[in-house]
mmCIF file of all heavy atoms in Angstrom:
data_model
loop_
_atom_site.group_PDB
_atom_site.id
_atom_site.type_symbol
_atom_site.label_atom_id
_atom_site.label_comp_id
_atom_site.label_asym_id
_atom_site.label_seq_id
_atom_site.Cartn_x
_atom_site.Cartn_y
_atom_site.Cartn_z
ATOM 1 N N ARG A 148 -14.780 7.413 -15.762
ATOM 2 C CA ARG A 148 -15.482 8.673 -16.039
ATOM 3 C C ARG A 148 -14.787 9.775 -15.283
ATOM 4 O O ARG A 148 -14.850 9.861 -14.072
ATOM 5 C CB ARG A 148 -16.929 8.582 -15.571
ATOM 6 C CG ARG A 148 -17.748 7.690 -16.450
ATOM 7 C CD ARG A 148 -19.169 7.940 -16.170
ATOM 8 N NE ARG A 148 -19.962 6.768 -16.487
ATOM 9 C CZ ARG A 148 -21.105 6.485 -15.898
ATOM 10 N NH1 ARG A 148 -21.547 7.273 -14.936
ATOM 11 N NH2 ARG A 148 -21.785 5.430 -16.258
ATOM 12 N N MET A 149 -14.127 10.607 -16.041
ATOM 13 C CA MET A 149 -13.205 11.539 -15.433
ATOM 14 C C MET A 149 -13.840 12.686 -14.662
ATOM 15 O O MET A 149 -13.397 13.045 -13.599
ATOM 16 C CB MET A 149 -12.304 12.109 -16.520
ATOM 17 C CG MET A 149 -11.503 11.060 -17.255
ATOM 18 S SD MET A 149 -10.383 10.259 -16.143
ATOM 19 C CE MET A 149 -9.351 11.676 -15.798
ATOM 20 N N ARG A 150 -14.893 13.260 -15.189
ATOM 21 C CA ARG A 150 -15.358 14.492 -14.565
ATOM 22 C C ARG A 150 -16.652 14.330 -13.782
ATOM 23 O O ARG A 150 -17.382 15.286 -13.536
ATOM 24 C CB ARG A 150 -15.474 15.592 -15.606
ATOM 25 C CG ARG A 150 -14.104 16.013 -16.111
ATOM 26 C CD ARG A 150 -14.170 17.100 -17.122
ATOM 27 N NE ARG A 150 -12.822 17.547 -17.477
ATOM 28 C CZ ARG A 150 -12.010 16.857 -18.274
ATOM 29 N NH1 ARG A 150 -12.403 15.725 -18.791
ATOM 30 N NH2 ARG A 150 -10.816 17.318 -18.540
ATOM 31 N N GLU A 151 -16.873 13.120 -13.401
ATOM 32 C CA GLU A 151 -18.078 12.824 -12.648
ATOM 33 C C GLU A 151 -18.001 13.461 -11.256
ATOM 34 O O GLU A 151 -16.971 13.441 -10.606
ATOM 35 C CB GLU A 151 -18.165 11.309 -12.504
ATOM 36 C CG GLU A 151 -19.534 10.808 -12.246
ATOM 37 C CD GLU A 151 -19.564 9.283 -12.347
ATOM 38 O OE1 GLU A 151 -18.506 8.692 -12.619
ATOM 39 O OE2 GLU A 151 -20.621 8.737 -12.138
ATOM 40 N N ALA A 152 -19.085 14.012 -10.832
ATOM 41 C CA ALA A 152 -19.106 14.531 -9.467
ATOM 42 C C ALA A 152 -19.589 13.403 -8.547
ATOM 43 O O ALA A 152 -20.679 12.881 -8.714
ATOM 44 C CB ALA A 152 -20.054 15.707 -9.377
ATOM 45 N N TYR A 153 -18.745 13.025 -7.632
ATOM 46 C CA TYR A 153 -19.114 11.915 -6.774
ATOM 47 C C TYR A 153 -19.781 12.411 -5.499
ATOM 48 O O TYR A 153 -19.361 13.379 -4.889
ATOM 49 C CB TYR A 153 -17.882 11.093 -6.408
ATOM 50 C CG TYR A 153 -17.264 10.447 -7.618
ATOM 51 C CD1 TYR A 153 -16.002 10.780 -8.039
ATOM 52 C CD2 TYR A 153 -18.004 9.523 -8.345
ATOM 53 C CE1 TYR A 153 -15.442 10.205 -9.154
ATOM 54 C CE2 TYR A 153 -17.460 8.936 -9.463
ATOM 55 C CZ TYR A 153 -16.185 9.275 -9.864
ATOM 56 O OH TYR A 153 -15.632 8.704 -10.963
ATOM 57 N N GLU A 154 -20.815 11.706 -5.123
ATOM 58 C CA GLU A 154 -21.550 12.084 -3.921
ATOM 59 C C GLU A 154 -20.676 11.963 -2.681
ATOM 60 O O GLU A 154 -20.688 12.786 -1.801
ATOM 61 C CB GLU A 154 -22.773 11.183 -3.779
ATOM 62 C CG GLU A 154 -23.594 11.538 -2.569
ATOM 63 C CD GLU A 154 -24.803 10.650 -2.442
ATOM 64 O OE1 GLU A 154 -25.041 9.837 -3.350
ATOM 65 O OE2 GLU A 154 -25.489 10.791 -1.439
ATOM 66 N N SER A 155 -19.918 10.906 -2.650
ATOM 67 C CA SER A 155 -19.031 10.741 -1.505
ATOM 68 C C SER A 155 -17.769 10.024 -1.936
ATOM 69 O O SER A 155 -17.813 8.872 -2.318
ATOM 70 C CB SER A 155 -19.722 9.942 -0.414
ATOM 71 O OG SER A 155 -18.755 9.466 0.482
ATOM 72 N N GLY A 156 -16.676 10.737 -1.904
ATOM 73 C CA GLY A 156 -15.419 10.162 -2.342
ATOM 74 C C GLY A 156 -15.060 8.903 -1.597
ATOM 75 O O GLY A 156 -14.616 7.928 -2.178
ATOM 76 N N GLU A 159 -17.412 6.026 -2.539
ATOM 77 C CA GLU A 159 -17.106 5.718 -3.936
ATOM 78 C C GLU A 159 -15.811 4.909 -4.029
ATOM 79 O O GLU A 159 -15.760 3.859 -4.650
ATOM 80 C CB GLU A 159 -16.978 7.043 -4.700
ATOM 81 C CG GLU A 159 -16.411 6.918 -6.091
ATOM 82 C CD GLU A 159 -17.361 6.280 -7.083
ATOM 83 O OE1 GLU A 159 -18.553 6.142 -6.755
ATOM 84 O OE2 GLU A 159 -16.892 5.903 -8.163
ATOM 85 N N ARG A 163 -17.086 0.925 -4.269
ATOM 86 C CA ARG A 163 -17.316 0.591 -5.669
ATOM 87 C C ARG A 163 -15.996 0.389 -6.386
ATOM 88 O O ARG A 163 -15.639 -0.709 -6.750
ATOM 89 C CB ARG A 163 -18.145 1.660 -6.362
ATOM 90 C CG ARG A 163 -18.386 1.247 -7.799
ATOM 91 C CD ARG A 163 -19.583 1.899 -8.403
ATOM 92 N NE ARG A 163 -19.443 3.315 -8.493
ATOM 93 C CZ ARG A 163 -20.470 4.124 -8.743
ATOM 94 N NH1 ARG A 163 -21.671 3.631 -8.895
ATOM 95 N NH2 ARG A 163 -20.288 5.399 -8.829
ATOM 96 N N PRO B 30 -10.352 11.789 -8.575
ATOM 97 C CA PRO B 30 -10.873 10.973 -9.685
ATOM 98 C C PRO B 30 -9.879 10.760 -10.828
ATOM 99 O O PRO B 30 -9.820 9.670 -11.396
ATOM 100 C CB PRO B 30 -12.095 11.744 -10.188
ATOM 101 C CG PRO B 30 -12.371 12.809 -9.197
ATOM 102 C CD PRO B 30 -11.162 12.994 -8.345
ATOM 103 N N ARG B 33 -7.380 8.273 -9.662
ATOM 104 C CA ARG B 33 -7.990 6.944 -9.618
ATOM 105 C C ARG B 33 -8.058 6.354 -11.035
ATOM 106 O O ARG B 33 -7.841 5.169 -11.231
ATOM 107 C CB ARG B 33 -9.393 7.043 -9.011
ATOM 108 C CG ARG B 33 -9.937 5.740 -8.549
ATOM 109 C CD ARG B 33 -11.019 5.942 -7.510
ATOM 110 N NE ARG B 33 -12.171 6.639 -8.030
ATOM 111 C CZ ARG B 33 -12.710 7.731 -7.495
ATOM 112 N NH1 ARG B 33 -12.187 8.264 -6.418
ATOM 113 N NH2 ARG B 33 -13.759 8.277 -8.022
#
Side-chain angles (χ1 to χ4, degrees):
Chain A
R148 288 195 206 153
M149 301 296 294
R150 291 181 175 76
E151 202 171 0
Y153 296 116
E154 181 180 355
S155 163
E159 169 72 12
R163 182 157 64 194
Chain B
R33 197 158 64 233

